[in-house]
Amino acid sequence: MTVMFWEYYGKMLKYRIVLAVVLASVAVIVGRLVLQELVVPNFGMTVKQWLYTYYLLVAASIAAGAVVAACWLKYGLGYCNTLAHKYLLAFACGAAVILVVNTVLAAVLLPPVLEGGLISICFVTLSGLLYYYLDAVLFALPPLRGFVPKAKVLLGRLYGNFAAAKLQELRELEQSFFSDYLLLVPPDVATKGAFKWDALYTVEWNGAQYTALYPLKPLISKYLAVNELAKYVSFESVNNTGYDGLQVVLSIPYADERFAPKLVTKMFTTGKVKIMQKAPVAAIWPDFVLQGLRRWNRYYFYYESAEKTQFHQFYLRPYWPGEASTLREIYIGQEHCEVTRGREYPRIVTCMIDMDEPMNCGFLLTEEPKAVNVGHYQKGTFSVDFGTVNTTVYFASDTETARPWQLGSRVKLLWKGDNAQVKLRQNFISPLASSELEAWILSSFHIYNENLQKQEDDLFKDGNVFYVHGFDDLGSLQNVLAELKWQHENTVYRQGFLNQLCAQCMAGAAALGITDISWRYSYPKAFAREEWVRYGEVWQKVIGLLGTLSGPQEELQINCTVDKDFVVPESIALAAYCDKTGIEPLGSGSICMDIGGGSTDIVFWYGKDPNITWQDSLRFAGHHILRDYLLYGHNCLLLKELCRSELLLKQVEELHRLACITVRNNTKQQLNAFTIRLDALLKYGADELMGNLAVAGGTSLQLRHFISSVTFGLSGLFFYCGLMFGKLCREGRYRHLHKFHSIYVGGNGSRLLDLAAGGSFGSDTNLYKLLAQIFRDGVQAGAGSERFKELLDAMDLKIIRIVKSSAPKEEIATGLFCEMAAELGLKFAAADAAEPLQPFDSETDAGAGANEHAVFMEFLENYNELAEKFLQQKLHFRNQTSLVKIEEAAAGHLKAGKPAFIAALYAALNDLSRDADGTWKSWVYFDGREADGGK
């Protein structure tokens, strides 16, 4: 406001100086010609001396008038017609102040006179009043001049006689309230918009009925209450020879009812009337305003045009007066979208047409947003499990316990053009209501094709969360990134995903009246230290951005902080969940295995006061076992045998197409598309696929090979756990453990147990028996034969209990609400700082690669014995090249960032996946058939 005042005041400063000089000159003339003859000074003072004092007081009076006039001008910059009576009162008060001040100054400071004293005081006082009056008439804002008596008459005569050009300028100012064009909207287009249509006008044009936008520029909102515009605007049809048009009459009322309203008209001829043929897509987020203890500070407006008329583009822009809004243009193929940011919920949306330059076509009024009254302080907590495949969020507050959090859109759809929901979901925020959304969020990000990394951090700067609510939402998957969790080099898109995710969570909490939010999150131990630091920095930036969404004053902000006690590894959150829910008592001696999409976190627990005795995080998980197999060759076509519906068959065919393109082009973009489509297929088609697996799995050689490969990968993980457990026992870590309790398997990858079991994993399945025995074989390989014999009885290893999660992927987000997660996290941090719990085949173990390769070959031998016994199959690498690759992988495990055993296991699975026709010959089934390419 101060900047605006000096800008406006400075434009007329030279004229104000001229006015002051003129009035001062008049005072000098009056003094010389009138007062010099009337005044008789007292106490022997000469008339000349008295006149000098009089001149100084006149100057002071004019200065006082100038100061009060400037104050009234600044007050008037915030003009609002609904508060007009206040400006009239302010003007009167200003005049009273000048009158009192100047009278007192003249009475006190003007030297006493024997005659003419009262006349002198009147001249001094009236000098300031006259300047104040003329300043208000000549230099004030146009609407404020209506408060000054006779201002209208005086201006007309003054400009008419001495400044005809200025009079024309004032008339043009009145015309500037009108838009450049008049936009008409057909009824079928208007019904798709959520605006205050009932306050607009129905007009007839060329024999058809249309709804006319307000044919005004939003500047009018400074002078008239926009909710009452219908009273001030009217339309008249004009049919003259040579042209037709619509005449708009604007009635500009003065606050002082003694003055008649000013009627201003504008004619919109045929060339100035435009018709919107199609509804665009427009939306605002969020859809509420906060009142009371908190305020929302950032609103985002999305717009996408639906048409081009004679190469001239219509577009909508929110009107945010008095602030610099931020515009983000988005170019996606041939589509052009915009995201605009402002500090207030937009009450006015302007319509523009892009001619040679932007031209105004009028504006619309939005419906009143939902008002949320925040009357008392309330704390909320979010836990975020940011996974490779999907992200899960839980929420708790002072009034409710932890529950899955549905993001909810909080999007107000202003204009529902064609495919509005699809476009908003792809490029902005999904407009689905909370009841239609899931707590399951695919960890994918749609990037815009223009890099704006140099701009300030903001929502929709680099892209938006890619929402998937079903197969129809997948589209072409162009410019969509997956596996964001592991993008350490370029963290922009990972941060963009978390920015929007947390902002939507915060908006939902704000709508519930939450005033303070704490955030908890987990991370995989597979992160190297520098990766963990970068991930923490990303979260700090996210919290910083959240701080800008509310306020802007600090006392009005929704306070967001990271609950550092609950920033823990995923394996700890999983273990805390198991302990609290009573699934597994950790103190008895347990292994928690969290198999995700990109990593597997393993923790060994033991002790009366449960503590970590060993942990590891492997870059080997569900995607490496399942996705990599289906990616190569034509392997994914085997899924067609599990499909009964046309919908799933089409999805598998599209998956096969992407697989062929990915292998041929070897691009990250195509791999992302394949990964996302596969994750969606396993999410939304799981019931049908698993339901048919039990029937088809036993008859199809292709499916049997697929299941065998998954079983082999899972067996490798169980053997590795047993191997590490055995080594720890050999080192004496479990001297007081009398019984090994169980292995808990959680995470998305735990569903692979059902797949490998042919439908449903349970203690009565052959797979259960195989995995239990393969774990024991791993313990024996790690502890040695003699020590293993002792452990077999001492820990009752004859019975191995395997527990599969009943709520995959929800355990970690839930576990972050368990107090044990913080307690174990502190223990882990202290222990890891003092003596990091590293895998045994670290860099200090020079012979780890060779030793672990030998262990892997032992595992392969044991696996074949057990697979033949329980599953009537075995694996035989007939190609010597395969064995060489496995040995090389074990030797180069440090470079791959994996333990040698896991590196060898990954190489073996990779070899089984790459060439279907060749690798099927590696499996032998003992039911009269051999997997030899389907023969």
Side-chain angles (χ1 to χ4, degrees):
M1 186 69 76
T2 301
V3 175
M4 188 187 304
F5 165 74
W6 286 114
E7 180 181 353
Y8 191 86
Y9 194 83
K11 288 180 179 179
M12 309 298 291
L13 181 59
K14 60 182 179 180
Y15 301 109
R16 288 184 165 92
I17 294 174
V18 170
L19 176 62
V21 171
V22 170
L23 291 178
S25 300
V26 171
V28 170
I29 295 172
V30 169
R32 292 251 181 212
L33 299 180
V34 180
L35 296 181
Q36 183 171 302
E37 301 296 330
L38 294 177
V39 173
V40 179
N42 202 357
F43 303 118
M45 179 182 291
T46 65
V47 173
K48 187 176 182 179
Q49 291 174 328
W50 182 90
L51 282 176
Y52 284 143
T53 306
Y54 162 76
Y55 295 151
L56 289 175
L57 283 175
V58 169
S61 176
I62 293 173
V67 170
V68 176
C71 293
W72 188 67
L73 172 66
K74 185 174 182 181
Y75 182 70
L77 289 178
Y79 179 83
C80 176
N81 191 66
T82 57
L83 302 176
H85 62 284
K86 291 188 176 182
Y87 301 108
L88 181 61
L89 179 62
F91 180 78
C93 290
V97 169
I98 295 172
L99 182 63
V100 172
V101 170
N102 289 347
T103 301
V104 171
L105 286 175
V108 174
L109 300 179
L110 198 65
V113 296
L114 295 175
E115 295 181 12
L118 183 60
I119 296 176
S120 303
I121 292 174
C122 289
F123 270 110
V124 169
T125 303
L126 291 176
S127 297
L129 279 175
L130 185 58
Y131 179 91
Y132 179 65
Y133 174 81
L134 292 176
D135 186 287
V137 172
L138 301 174
F139 310 130
L141 291 171
L144 297 179
R145 296 170 186 167
F147 302 120
V148 184
K150 300 298 180 180
K152 186 176 179 182
V153 176
L154 180 61
L155 277 173
R157 290 180 178 177
L158 180 65
Y159 287 130
N161 294 330
F162 303 103
K166 182 63 178 178
L167 184 59
Q168 180 63 27
E169 182 180 335
L170 288 175
R171 290 171 178 167
E172 290 176 357
L173 175 63
E174 293 173 343
Q175 287 292 311
S176 70
F177 289 138
F178 290 103
S179 59
D180 303 303
Y181 288 83
L182 173 62
L183 184 62
L184 304 180
V185 181
D188 60 323
V189 175
T191 56
K192 298 180 180 180
F195 297 96
K196 293 183 177 179
W197 297 108
D198 55 342
L200 294 174
Y201 315 92
T202 300
V203 299
E204 185 174 339
W205 181 252
N206 293 335
Q209 297 289 321
Y210 296 95
T211 299
L213 273 65
Y214 289 110
L216 304 168
K217 294 179 181 177
L219 177 67
I220 195 69
S221 63
K222 285 182 62 65
Y223 311 109
L224 297 176
V226 291
N227 290 331
E228 301 178 0
L229 277 178
K231 298 190 304 184
Y232 305 134
V233 179
S234 60
F235 285 82
E236 299 175 1
S237 295
V238 177
N239 298 308
N240 291 334
T241 304
Y243 70 89
D244 293 335
L246 288 171
Q247 179 170 276
V248 180
V249 181
L250 173 64
S251 173
I252 304 178
Y254 287 108
D256 191 337
E257 295 180 355
R258 293 174 300 174
F259 293 91
K262 174 76 173 181
L263 297 179
V264 186
T265 63
K266 180 171 182 176
M267 174 69 70
F268 291 93
T269 57
T270 302
K272 292 292 185 177
V273 177
K274 300 294 181 181
I275 298 176
M276 179 179 286
Q277 301 293 349
K278 294 183 179 180
V281 177
I284 185 75
W285 180 89
D287 61 349
F288 60 81
V289 294
L290 297 183
Q291 300 173 348
L293 298 174
R294 295 292 183 263
R295 295 288 189 277
W296 197 265
N297 187 49
R298 282 193 180 184
Y299 291 87
Y300 296 84
F301 180 87
Y302 174 88
Y303 172 74
E304 183 174 343
S305 179
E307 62 177 280
K308 287 187 176 181
T309 304
Q310 297 178 352
F311 305 102
H312 299 311
Q313 180 87 39
F314 284 116
Y315 58 93
L316 301 179
R317 291 274 172 82
Y319 177 63
W320 277 304
E323 65 174 283
S325 59
T326 301
L327 174 66
R328 171 62 159 112
E329 295 185 280
I330 307 166
Y331 298 94
I332 304 169
Q334 298 298 317
E335 297 179 354
H336 174 236
C337 320
E338 295 179 351
V339 177
T340 314
R341 186 194 78 199
R343 293 186 179 277
E344 297 179 354
Y345 189 92
R347 308 306 173 107
I348 294 176
V349 175
T350 61
C351 184
M352 310 291 288
I353 185 170
D354 192 6
M355 307 292 282
D356 294 332
E357 60 182 28
M359 307 296 284
N360 197 295
C361 294
F363 65 80
L364 294 162
L365 300 181
T366 61
E367 296 175 344
E368 292 297 320
K370 176 185 176 183
V372 178
N373 184 38
V374 184
H376 62 280
Y377 293 97
Q378 186 177 182
K379 183 178 180 180
T381 303
F382 284 104
S383 66
V384 180
D385 176 21
F386 180 31
T388 303
V389 176
N390 65 285
T391 297
T392 306
V393 181
Y394 264 63
F395 172 76
S397 68
D398 295 338
T399 58
E400 57 182 320
T401 57
R403 62 177 174 85
W405 179 260
Q406 294 174 312
L407 280 183
S409 69
R410 313 303 317 182
V411 169
K412 177 66 174 178
L413 189 54
L414 298 178
W415 221 324
K416 190 176 181 181
D418 294 342
N419 300 316
Q421 296 211 3
V422 173
K423 293 178 178 179
L424 287 171
R425 179 187 56 77
Q426 290 178 344
N427 304 324
F428 189 55
I429 295 178
S430 175
L432 292 180
S434 297
S435 59
E436 301 175 86
L437 295 173
E438 303 175 273
W440 189 87
I441 306 160
L442 193 67
S443 299
S444 54
F445 192 68
H446 173 230
I447 60 174
Y448 304 146
N449 60 355
E450 182 182 359
N451 194 337
L452 295 181
Q453 296 185 19
K454 293 183 180 179
Q455 283 193 0
E456 65 172 312
D457 190 22
D458 198 1
L459 299 179
F460 314 110
K461 179 175 76 72
D462 301 291
N464 65 297
V465 174
F466 184 75
Y467 298 91
V468 175
H469 309 308
F471 295 126
D472 292 339
D473 295 340
L474 293 175
S476 66
L477 295 174
Q478 184 178 2
N479 294 336
V480 179
L481 296 182
E483 297 187 330
L484 300 168
K485 183 176 181 178
W486 302 99
Q487 291 195 12
H488 300 298
E489 298 304 323
N490 186 358
T491 62
V492 170
Y493 303 125
R494 178 168 61 179
Q495 182 181 336
F497 175 87
L498 291 174
N499 279 344
Q500 184 177 337
L501 175 79
C502 295
Q504 287 190 248
C505 290
M506 178 176 165
L512 297 176
I514 301 297
T515 57
D516 301 89
I517 301 176
S518 63
W519 298 87
R520 303 175 178 183
Y521 64 90
S522 58
Y523 61 91
K525 278 298 293 177
F527 279 0
R529 179 169 181 79
E530 60 274 13
E531 294 169 348
W532 180 84
V533 170
R534 279 198 291 266
Y535 189 54
E537 291 173 347
V538 166
W539 269 98
Q540 289 176 4
K541 293 178 181 178
V542 170
I543 298 301
L545 175 63
L546 296 180
T548 66
L549 297 181
S550 60
Q553 295 87 356
E554 185 174 352
E555 64 273 12
L556 296 177
Q557 288 183 351
I558 297 174
N559 301 314
C560 290
T561 56
V562 172
D563 193 343
K564 295 182 179 180
D565 291 342
F566 287 89
V567 177
V568 298
E570 294 168 350
S571 51
I572 288 180
L574 174 63
Y577 166 81
C578 296
D579 189 78
K580 181 177 180 179
T581 55
I583 296 175
E584 294 304 314
L586 300 181
S588 303
S590 301
I591 295 177
C592 290
M593 192 188 319
D594 176 23
I595 307 176
S599 66
T600 298
D601 281 37
I602 306 169
V603 174
F604 295 176
W605 299 93
Y606 163 61
K608 183 177 180 181
D609 185 13
N611 201 354
I612 301 173
T613 55
W614 186 82
Q615 64 80 35
D616 198 2
S617 187
L618 311 172
R619 285 303 310 274
F620 178 83
H623 279 172
H624 306 92
I625 296 174
L626 186 66
R627 182 198 64 184
D628 290 0
Y629 179 90
L630 295 173
L631 177 63
Y632 296 106
H634 303 285
N635 295 352
C636 62
L637 287 177
L638 62 89
L639 295 176
K640 296 180 73 172
E641 299 182 40
L642 303 178
C643 301
R644 295 294 179 265
S645 66
E646 289 294 327
L647 176 62
L648 249 61
L649 284 171
K650 289 177 61 177
Q651 297 305 315
V652 172
E653 289 171 358
E654 178 62 20
L655 194 67
H656 175 245
R657 184 187 70 82
L658 286 174
C660 295
I661 295 174
T662 303
V663 174
R664 182 173 65 248
N665 299 336
N666 193 27
T667 64
K668 184 67 175 177
Q669 173 62 45
Q670 296 300 330
L671 180 60
N672 282 325
F674 178 86
T675 301
I676 292 171
R677 190 166 287 277
L678 175 61
D679 290 336
L681 177 65
L682 297 177
K683 165 66 178 177
Y684 297 107
D687 292 340
E688 181 175 334
L689 294 174
M690 297 303 293
N692 296 321
L693 181 62
V695 178
T699 58
S700 167
L701 285 174
Q702 290 90 336
L703 279 175
R704 290 187 68 174
H705 174 262
F706 173 50
I707 294 172
S708 299
S709 297
V710 173
T711 302
F712 180 69
L714 291 172
S715 299
L717 284 175
F718 273 76
F719 186 89
Y720 179 75
C721 288
L723 180 68
M724 296 298 104
F725 183 75
K727 290 184 177 182
L728 289 170
C729 290
R730 188 181 64 198
E731 287 195 346
R733 296 279 188 99
Y734 296 119
R735 296 182 186 277
H736 303 290
L737 181 60
H738 301 294
K739 177 177 175 59
F740 176 79
H741 194 265
S742 60
I743 303 171
Y744 179 84
V745 185
N748 272 332
S750 64
R751 296 177 176 137
L752 293 176
L753 292 172
D754 291 328
L755 176 62
S760 179
F761 178 79
S763 58
D764 57 341
T765 62
N766 287 330
L767 177 65
Y768 186 102
K769 299 171 185 176
L770 182 145
L771 294 178
Q773 183 56 49
I774 208 73
F775 174 79
R776 279 191 290 266
D777 289 346
V779 175
Q780 182 174 2
S785 299
E786 295 299 322
R787 178 61 177 149
F788 176 72
K789 291 178 181 178
E790 299 174 7
L791 295 174
L792 201 59
D793 294 323
M795 293 189 181
D796 196 13
L797 287 179
K798 295 177 182 178
I799 300 176
I800 301 296
R801 185 165 175 256
I802 303 173
V803 181
K804 183 181 76 71
S805 172
S806 59
K809 202 50 188 172
E810 295 184 15
E811 312 103 331
I812 294 174
T814 308
L816 288 172
F817 281 100
C818 303
E819 291 300 322
M820 179 176 280
E823 297 170 6
L824 296 175
L826 291 173
K827 278 186 182 183
F828 167 77
D832 200 34
E835 184 180 357
L837 299 169
Q838 297 292 342
F840 284 92
D841 55 342
S842 63
E843 295 186 38
T844 57
D845 187 356
N851 294 337
E852 293 298 323
H853 175 254
V855 171
F856 179 80
M857 298 309 294
E858 180 181 347
F859 155 71
L860 187 58
E861 182 179 345
N862 292 341
Y863 172 81
N864 275 333
E865 290 180 5
L866 295 172
E868 184 175 352
K869 175 181 178 182
F870 293 112
L871 306 178
Q872 292 76 51
Q873 65 183 42
K874 69 177 182 179
L875 175 63
H876 176 55
F877 287 104
R878 301 179 182 182
N879 189 342
Q880 188 64 28
T881 305
S882 300
L883 298 177
V884 172
K885 289 181 180 178
I886 293 172
E887 185 174 4
E888 290 176 347
H893 70 284
L894 295 178
K895 185 177 181 180
K898 297 180 177 70
F901 178 87
I902 296 299
L905 176 64
Y906 179 70
L909 278 173
N910 198 44
D911 191 70
L912 292 172
S913 306
R914 289 268 175 178
D915 184 3
D917 291 337
T919 55
W920 285 354
K921 297 177 181 178
S922 300
W923 291 97
V924 178
Y925 299 105
F926 300 96
D927 57 355
R929 292 185 295 174
E930 181 175 316
D932 56 354
K935 298 179 181 179

